[in-house]
Amino acid sequence: MPKSTHPHTVAAFDQELNRLDEMLVHQFELVHGMIHDAMISVSHFDVDLAQEVIARDAKVDDLDLVIEEDSIKILALRSPLADDLRWVIAIQKASSELERMGDFSKNISKRVGVLALHPLPEAAGGLKVMGLMVLEQLDRMRQAWIEEKTEQAMTVWQGDEAVDTLYDGMFRELLTHMMESPRNISSCIHLLFIAKNLERIGDHITNIAEDLYYRINGEKPTMNRPKADKTCQVTAHPEKKPEG
Amino acid sequence: MKNSFTLKAKNTLPSESSLPPGAAGAGNDPVKMDSNNVNVYYGTKQALKDVALPIRMHRVTALIGPSGCGKSTFLKCLNRMNDTVVGCRVSGSITLDNEDVYGPEVDVVQLRARVGMVFQKPNPFPKSIYDNVAYGPRIHGMTRDRTEMDQAVETSLVKAGLWNEVKDRLKEPGTSLSGGQQQRLCIARAIAVNPEVVLMDEPCSALDPIATARIEELIDDLARNYTIVIVTHSMQQAARVSHFTGFFHLGELVEFNQTGIIFTNPKQERTKGYVTGRFG
C-alpha cells in the first residue's frame, strides 16, 4: 500500500496491495542475485554456477505469473482507482521488466560453457565493470521503489547513460580483439552478446524507474532520457563512414 | 445496437488536449449552465459553500460524494426544486444560457420544462403508459391534435429506449412495468417536454445491473441532444457515463475535472481518499 496515504476502509484490500508489492521486491532480489551470479560465472568460467542461475529463472517467471494473476484479480474484484490503480498497473509492468531481466541473466549464463573453451581474460575487465554498474543501478532502483522516491528513480533513469557508454566501449574493444585474431571471434561474439544483455538490462531498469514515476505522479516523465549507445555506427573500417 | 447492453465508446469525449490536466472548467465545449458562489442553507445549517461548477452543453456531468455532501442539494438548485423545501435559502448565481435561474422574472414551471428531472425511485403517475408521457406536452400545450400527441409520445418512448417494449400496451398502467422500464418511462416523461438539461438523482440505485446498463446506454445516447447532470453513489457509474465529474464533501466542491483525471489522477487528497475507498 502506498506509504503516504491512509489505510483503506476495507483492510483486505490493503493486504492484497501489500502482498503484490512484497512479491515485486522479492523479484527484485531474485533478479539481482541472478545477474550477480551470472557475472561471477562468466568471470570464473563456473559452469555449475551458470547452470544454477539458469534454473533460478523459473522462480522469477513464476513470481511474474502470480503478480499478473493477482493484479487481474484486484482489478476485477476491487476496481482500484487513482493511485491504487496506478499502483497495480505499475507493479504489473515492473514485474514484466524484471522477468525479462531474468531472461537476460539466463542468456548470459548459457554462454559460460563456450567461453570456458576459449577464455579471453583481457576482455573480462570491461564486462565486470559493466556488470557492477548494472547491479548498482538495479539496487538503487529497488531502494527507490521501496521508499517511493521518484528523484532517486530519476537519478537511476539518467544513470543508464553511463551503462550505454560502457557498452559502446565494450563493442569497440571486442571488435579490436576480433580484428587482431580470428581465433578470438567466437569468444568475442559471446562476450558481445553478454555486454548487449547487460545493456538491455540497464534499459529495463529505466522502464521500472518510469513505472515508479507514473505510480507516484500519475504521468510519465516528460524529459528525454540521455542515451549513449552509439554502437550502431561502429565499424571495423574507420576510414569508411556509414550513411544516415 | 439499440437493444445491446454494452456501452458504446464515447466518441463525443472531449480530447485530453482540449483540457489541460487539473484545469477545472477549462475546455472548448460551451457552458450550458454555470454556477458561482452558490451557498445553500437549510435553516441555519449550511449545505453548500461557495460552489462554482460549469455544466457543459451535450456532456454528462457526474456529481459524486458521500451522503450529505451536498451533491443532491446542488442538483436541486439547478431547476429550483429547493424552492419547495421549507427553510431553504439559496444565494449566488446559477445561470441557464447566461440567464439567471433565480431571476425574478423566471417562470419556475417553464424552467423545469427546460431543466427536467429524473428521480432515484421510478415514480410513474398512476396513469397509463401513454398518459404518463403525454402529461408534460399536454399541460404545456405543446401539441395541437391527437396525431401530434401520438407522435410526441412515440418519439419520447423511442428516445428512452422503451418503445419496442411498450408499443402494444400503451393503455396499460405505467406501474405495471418492471422497475427498469418504469425508470425509462420516467425518462421518456422527462424528455417529452423537450428539455435542454436533464437532471438525474441516482437514477439507477433502485435497479438491477441489467436495467442499470440500459439506463447508462440511454444516458450515452441522450447526451447527443441533451445536457445531463447525474448524481450517483456508484463511482463506477460516474466513471462509465460521465465526461466531467465533480466531487463534493461537506458542502464544498472539492474537485471538478474530466472524469478520466478524477479517477486516475485526482489532484486533491480528499478526492483521492474518496475514490480509492480510504475515506477516514
Side-chain angles (χ1 to χ4, degrees):
Chain A
M1 187 189 67
K3 287 178 180 51
S4 53
T5 45
H6 298 288
H8 289 91
T9 311
V10 180
F13 188 15
D14 282 338
Q15 288 161 12
E16 287 166 22
L17 289 177
N18 285 338
R19 194 175 115 84
L20 266 194
D21 198 45
E22 283 161 15
M23 284 193 287
L24 189 83
V25 172
H26 185 44
Q27 211 183 4
F28 261 112
E29 286 156 2
L30 284 178
V31 169
H32 191 278
M34 280 180 75
I35 301 169
H36 177 268
D37 290 351
M39 293 315 293
I40 295 281
S41 69
V42 168
S43 56
H44 295 190
F45 307 110
D46 187 339
V47 180
D48 292 337
L49 183 59
Q51 286 304 319
E52 201 205 304
V53 173
I54 292 169
R56 270 190 256 161
D57 188 45
K59 271 191 204 164
V60 176
D61 290 357
D62 286 349
L63 260 181
D64 179 51
L65 213 67
V66 177
I67 287 176
E68 189 183 330
E69 283 171 2
D70 284 8
S71 302
I72 291 171
K73 213 182 280 176
I74 290 176
L75 290 174
L77 305 183
R78 303 275 182 205
S79 301
L81 290 169
D83 55 347
D84 292 336
L85 176 65
R86 305 202 303 264
W87 187 237
V88 176
I89 298 289
I91 287 182
Q92 203 181 356
K93 289 184 72 175
S95 170
S96 300
E97 305 292 348
L98 287 166
E99 188 274 328
R100 199 79 195 95
M101 290 186 218
D103 291 347
F104 286 129
S105 313
K106 183 173 159 183
N107 192 280
I108 291 171
S109 305
K110 279 181 180 171
R111 301 175 191 277
V112 172
V114 179
L115 287 174
L117 298 176
H118 312 278
L120 195 67
E122 55 270 42
L127 264 191
K128 188 177 173 190
V129 175
M130 220 181 147
L132 287 173
M133 186 173 280
V134 166
L135 284 169
E136 171 79 17
Q137 283 275 93
L138 183 62
D139 200 42
R140 280 159 68 196
M141 188 57 238
R142 181 186 67 98
Q143 206 58 37
W145 186 279
I146 293 170
E147 292 167 11
E148 300 181 14
K149 286 192 174 149
T150 46
E151 306 83 28
Q152 201 176 323
M154 285 300 98
T155 312
V156 172
W157 190 67
Q158 279 160 340
D160 188 55
E161 189 180 16
V163 178
D164 286 353
T165 306
L166 275 181
Y167 172 61
D168 195 74
M170 276 304 297
F171 192 103
R172 290 164 198 274
E173 188 183 335
L174 291 168
L175 199 61
T176 311
H177 286 304
M178 287 190 266
M179 286 160 73
E180 279 168 6
S181 166
R183 274 174 305 188
N184 290 337
I185 286 179
S186 63
S187 280
C188 283
I189 292 277
H190 287 290
L191 290 170
L192 189 57
F193 267 105
I194 291 172
K196 182 68 191 167
N197 284 337
L198 289 172
E199 189 272 332
R200 292 297 298 139
I201 289 174
D203 288 344
H204 285 276
I205 295 171
T206 67
N207 289 347
I208 299 182
E210 289 175 18
D211 294 338
L212 180 66
Y213 189 93
Y214 167 73
R215 134 94 192 94
I216 305 285
N217 297 321
E219 54 198 29
K220 290 275 175 191
T222 46
M223 320 73 103
N224 284 326
R225 183 161 69 82
K227 290 172 185 168
D229 176 10
K230 308 273 191 303
T231 52
C232 54
Q233 300 286 318
V234 176
T235 150
H237 307 279
E239 71 283 2
K240 294 181 182 170
K241 289 270 177 234
E243 286 179 27
Chain B
M1 202 58 207
K2 253 295 172 262
N3 290 322
S4 155
F5 295 148
T6 52
L7 292 172
K8 272 180 264 175
K10 289 190 194 73
N11 52 8
T12 51
L13 257 179
S15 65
E16 287 289 318
S17 58
S18 73
L19 271 181
N28 301 326
D29 308 315
V31 173
K32 182 71 183 171
M33 293 192 84
D34 208 356
S35 54
N36 279 298
N37 303 318
V38 175
N39 287 282
V40 177
Y41 300 84
Y42 293 120
T44 54
K45 188 184 175 299
Q46 188 165 7
L48 280 184
K49 295 169 194 163
D50 284 329
V51 172
L53 191 157
I55 291 159
R56 298 191 176 274
M57 189 187 267
H58 296 176
R59 294 281 178 256
V60 181
T61 302
L63 310 179
I64 60 169
S67 299
C69 67
K71 57 194 188 300
S72 290
T73 296
F74 179 76
L75 190 78
K76 286 175 191 149
C77 289
L78 296 175
N79 71 347
R80 292 181 58 172
M81 294 290 282
N82 280 332
D83 287 11
T84 57
V85 179
V86 179
C88 178
R89 194 156 48 83
V90 180
S91 70
S93 124
I94 298 176
T95 59
L96 171 63
D97 290 336
N98 296 318
E99 287 170 30
D100 188 2
V101 163
Y102 282 84
E105 73 288 356
V106 171
D107 176 352
V108 180
V109 175
Q110 283 305 319
L111 171 70
R112 289 179 194 150
R114 290 177 70 191
V115 184
M117 188 137 186
V118 175
F119 296 89
Q120 182 174 1
K121 203 163 166 284
N123 53 352
F125 300 140
K127 293 168 176 289
S128 70
I129 293 168
Y130 183 97
D131 285 339
N132 259 282
V133 183
Y135 183 82
R138 199 171 278 149
I139 61 163
H140 286 285
M142 292 169 66
T143 53
R144 280 171 301 186
D145 52 33
R146 178 82 194 185
T147 324
E148 271 189 24
M149 182 60 87
D150 287 351
Q151 194 54 50
V153 169
E154 180 176 341
T155 308
S156 303
L157 285 168
V158 167
K159 279 187 191 165
L162 193 60
W163 176 249
N164 285 336
E165 291 159 59
V166 300
K167 62 182 175 198
D168 301 321
R169 46 193 285 210
L170 294 171
K171 294 275 178 281
E172 289 177 29
T175 48
S176 67
L177 297 171
S178 73
Q181 288 172 326
Q182 285 186 22
Q183 194 61 306
R184 278 180 282 142
L185 179 63
C186 293
I187 292 173
R189 189 178 64 192
I191 60 182
V193 292
N194 286 326
E196 293 152 53
V197 181
V198 180
L199 310 177
M200 298 185 171
D201 195 355
E202 296 182 43
C204 300
S205 59
L207 304 182
D208 72 17
I210 291 172
T212 298
R214 298 206 65 158
I215 299 283
E216 289 177 1
E217 163 76 1
L218 179 58
I219 290 171
D220 242 24
D221 274 349
L222 292 176
R224 291 194 199 122
N225 302 310
Y226 304 95
T227 301
I228 294 174
V229 186
I230 177 170
V231 162
T232 174
H233 265 300
S234 159
M235 278 178 288
Q236 277 72 34
Q237 178 167 65
R240 285 190 299 260
V241 303
S242 72
H243 305 107
F244 295 93
T245 296
F247 167 61
F248 285 77
H249 183 227
L250 301 174
E252 292 170 46
L253 176 64
V254 177
E255 189 166 353
F256 175 71
N257 212 326
Q258 289 177 78
T259 298
I261 294 173
I262 292 284
F263 289 108
T264 61
N265 196 9
K267 307 297 173 204
Q268 302 295 325
E269 277 299 318
R270 278 195 279 173
T271 316
K272 194 163 85 179
Y274 184 68
V275 301
T276 58
R278 288 195 208 103
F279 221 56

